[in-house]
Amino acid sequence: MTEPTIPADLAPLGDGNPGPAVVKAVIPAAGLGTRFLPATKATPKEMLPVVDRPAIQYVVEEAVRAGLGDILMITGRGKRSLEDHFDRAWELEAALEAKGDKDRLEQVRESADLADIHYTRQGDPRGLGHAVLCAAHHVGDDDPFAVLLGDDLIDERDELLTRMIGVQRQTRASVVALMEVDPTQVHLYGCAAVEATGVDDVLRVTGMVEKPDPKDAPSNLAVIGRYVLHPRVFEVLKDTKPGRGNEIQLTDALQTLAADPATEGGGVYGVVFKGRRYDTGDRLDYLKAVVRLASERDDLGPELRAFLREFVAGLPAE
Ligand code: UTP
């Protein structure tokens, strides 16, 4: 795997001496998925198919594309199928081999060969901050690491993670992904107070608040499911008390780091993302992801687009 080079336009953010490479990714996937019940009663939401691959496979592929070949997945009760999906399936492979179905055999093997995937269980799902803290032992104290939420899809044509890794190495701080949302939607996200850095798509985060009331929101910049964090976040998370929803919030730990930019490992930057992103844990966004990605595929697209045109033409006017 080749390490991405750091773009020259990020130079003003650092002292010309980039920090260590980012090689590990953490994928929290232990949440309960209540927004998608009853589908998620016995099936993890990360395993819901987006066209013909489970949502989490897109996330793992994104990590691998960014050079992160060492992945720790945070799972929990009822999430066994995640491990099975990224493992070999000997019986299935033997049956496909006997049939001479080479294409499907390749697809089945592909998910088992993607990356070096490790698992740890969260026990009680006590919040995203707690899930990230479960990765402390695997990640260690020295190197920055990426966090990719297992139900958040970034379209592979819209690069985000590599840019965030570049910003992390230049600043040696922590980096979040920010996306402009309609002000009426900020209460669904963590929200950031920001100031300019001189690099167009990079902002300094001066404060963060989890799911604010729209009238108290510091901006309409929502934190979406990609992070590249300094390992100091573990020390902070250990002392972070349960916050909103009685959960240990990653946002609260990042707020502590944002308020301490002068100390090593402190400070938070935001990379503004303008591409396509789907929250597959939300039913409507999930449907949009399936329709968009399937309609753009070579194998399914032509017939699906013809169906959609006819379907839309037959819709009653609102
Ligand atoms: P969500 O906010 O989507 O929560 O978590 P959720 O519980 O999974 O889903 P809903 O809101 O009940 O429908 C964001 C990410 O953090 C993980 C989730 O799996 C998801 O990837 N998470 C959340 C954990 O791993 N552990 C937790 O305790 C909470």
Side-chain angles (χ1 to χ4, degrees):
M1 249 161 270
T2 53
E3 198 193 313
T5 51
I6 300 173
D9 73 314
L10 294 180
L13 297 175
D15 58 6
N17 187 20
V22 181
V23 293
K24 289 185 181 169
V26 175
I27 303 186
L32 295 177
T34 53
R35 285 169 297 158
F36 225 127
L37 283 168
T40 47
K41 186 177 169 193
T43 304
K45 63 175 169 180
E46 297 82 7
M47 285 303 291
L48 294 175
V50 177
V51 193
D52 50 12
R53 278 181 286 167
I56 191 115
Q57 188 171 331
Y58 292 84
V59 178
V60 169
E61 285 169 356
E62 179 190 342
V64 171
R65 277 199 305 279
L68 312 173
D70 177 332
I71 293 175
L72 177 71
M73 226 174 256
I74 314 293
T75 67
R77 245 180 85 75
K79 303 273 183 173
R80 261 309 217 330
S81 54
L82 287 168
E83 294 184 39
D84 287 341
H85 181 72
F86 294 104
D87 198 358
R88 298 298 292 265
W90 296 106
E91 285 177 18
L92 187 57
E93 289 179 29
L96 290 169
E97 213 154 8
K99 275 200 210 165
D101 193 341
K102 285 203 182 119
D103 287 351
R104 291 206 174 88
L105 183 62
E106 206 174 293
Q107 284 166 4
V108 162
R109 281 189 179 148
E110 197 193 341
S111 56
D113 295 336
L114 273 174
D116 188 6
I117 306 184
H118 310 264
Y119 301 88
T120 193
R121 286 169 73 116
Q122 193 184 1
D124 267 349
R126 288 165 57 201
L128 178 58
H130 180 248
V132 171
L133 188 53
C134 294
H137 182 69
H138 182 86
V139 171
D141 297 334
D142 298 328
D143 294 326
F145 64 102
V147 174
L148 295 84
L149 299 194
D151 55 354
D152 219 339
L153 254 59
I154 300 295
D155 197 299
E156 69 176 75
R157 294 160 294 184
D158 301 323
E159 188 47 64
L160 171 61
L161 199 51
T162 306
R163 182 76 176 164
M164 293 175 73
I165 290 172
V167 173
Q168 197 289 324
R169 295 192 63 200
Q170 281 295 51
T171 61
R172 295 167 179 257
S174 288
V175 181
V176 298
L178 298 173
M179 195 163 184
E180 261 186 48
V181 296
D182 190 279
T184 60
Q185 301 294 300
V186 284
H187 69 283
L188 301 171
Y189 296 90
C191 182
V194 292
E195 55 188 38
T197 61
V199 177
D200 271 359
D201 62 333
V202 184
L203 301 168
R204 193 185 323 278
V205 174
T206 55
M208 289 179 73
V209 41
E210 184 62 25
K211 300 192 170 71
D213 208 84
K215 65 175 182 357
D216 304 325
S219 73
N220 65 336
L221 288 168
V223 178
I224 59 169
R226 298 293 179 268
Y227 307 80
V228 184
L229 302 176
H230 188 283
R232 198 180 138 203
V233 74
F234 294 129
E235 198 185 298
V236 175
L237 278 169
K238 279 181 199 147
D239 293 332
T240 301
K241 301 273 172 293
R244 214 193 143 88
N246 204 26
E247 293 190 337
I248 297 174
Q249 298 287 354
L250 180 59
T251 306
D252 292 346
L254 290 171
Q255 159 63 30
T256 303
L257 291 176
D260 188 19
T263 312
E264 198 193 331
V268 177
Y269 288 81
V271 170
V272 181
F273 180 62
K274 297 210 160 110
R276 288 153 285 195
R277 172 247 173 196
Y278 312 97
D279 174 3
T280 61
D282 172 79
R283 290 168 306 168
L284 186 60
D285 235 27
Y286 170 82
L287 291 171
K288 289 180 187 171
V290 173
V291 171
R292 187 189 283 242
L293 295 178
S295 71
E296 291 167 353
R297 287 244 310 232
D298 292 341
D299 53 349
L300 298 165
E303 277 186 63
L304 181 63
R305 289 196 298 271
F307 162 77
L308 287 173
R309 274 187 214 101
E310 204 180 316
F311 180 71
V312 170
L315 286 178
E318 287 282 309

